Each structure stands twice: as structure tokens, then as C-alpha cells.
């Protein structure tokens, strides 16, 4: 599916602990936004976040999804 301006889109991502031990934080949020630059600068829209509660052990991971609607009037690459 090709994302299109003004249309719904499901964004899915995975967070993995590739460190040497358990995470030192027990609570954080993953944020989803649209930016005009590959480095994340030039933020165009913020779509929300998904909270994670609990530490993440070494080599553990989790997946999240967020249903968003892309802003109207978008053209080009983001």
C-alpha cells in the first residue's frame, strides 16, 4: 500500500533491547510523527504515542501499532 495524503495508515514498529542487560527505565513512550527530513527534523505532524510499562530484558522486544490519518495536501517524500 502506498501512503496517500488525507488517507488512513497503520504504522507498526518494533523496539528491541540490543544492549548488555535489562533497561534501566521502567516506563517510556514511543512517539510517531511525520518529518520532511531523514534525520527527523522538519516535523510536519505529530500523531501520538504508545506507552510501554516495564523493563525490557536483554534481547527482548515488543511491537506496537498506531492507526493514523495523514494530513491533507501532502506531496513529495517525507
Amino acid at each position: 500500500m502506498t501512503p496517500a495524503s488525507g488517507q488512513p495508515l497503520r504504522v507498526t514498529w518494533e523496539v528491541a533491547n540490543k544492549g548488555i542487560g535489562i533497561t534501566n527505565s521502567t516506563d517510556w513512550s514511543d512517539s510517531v510523527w511525520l518529518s520532511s527530513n531523514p534525520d527527523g527534523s522538519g516535523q510536519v505532524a505529530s500523531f501520538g504515542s504508545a506507552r510501554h510499562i516495564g523493563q525490557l530484558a536483554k534481547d527482548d522486544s515488543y511491537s506496537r501499532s498506531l492507526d493514523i490519518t495523514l494530513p491533507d495536501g501532502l506531496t513529495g517524500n517525507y
Side-chain angles (χ1 to χ4, degrees):
M1 177 177 122
T2 302
S5 174
Q7 297 299 307
L9 177 69
R10 174 166 278 202
V11 178
T12 301
W13 65 96
E14 181 179 37
V15 174
N17 179 358
K18 298 296 183 183
I20 61 172
I22 195 166
T23 59
N24 61 352
S25 181
T26 60
D27 183 16
W28 62 84
S29 292
D30 305 319
S31 297
V32 177
W33 71 89
L34 181 67
S35 65
S36 57
N37 300 310
D39 67 358
S41 64
Q43 184 173 328
V44 174
S46 180
F47 297 109
S49 61
R51 189 172 177 192
H52 176 83
I53 299 174
Q55 291 177 297
L56 199 59
K58 178 184 180 305
D59 296 323
D60 273 355
S61 64
Y62 65 88
S63 295
R64 292 284 189 272
S65 294
L66 188 63
D67 292 322
I68 67 168
T69 300
L70 294 171
D72 285 325
L74 290 177
T75 59
N77 295 317
Y78 290 88

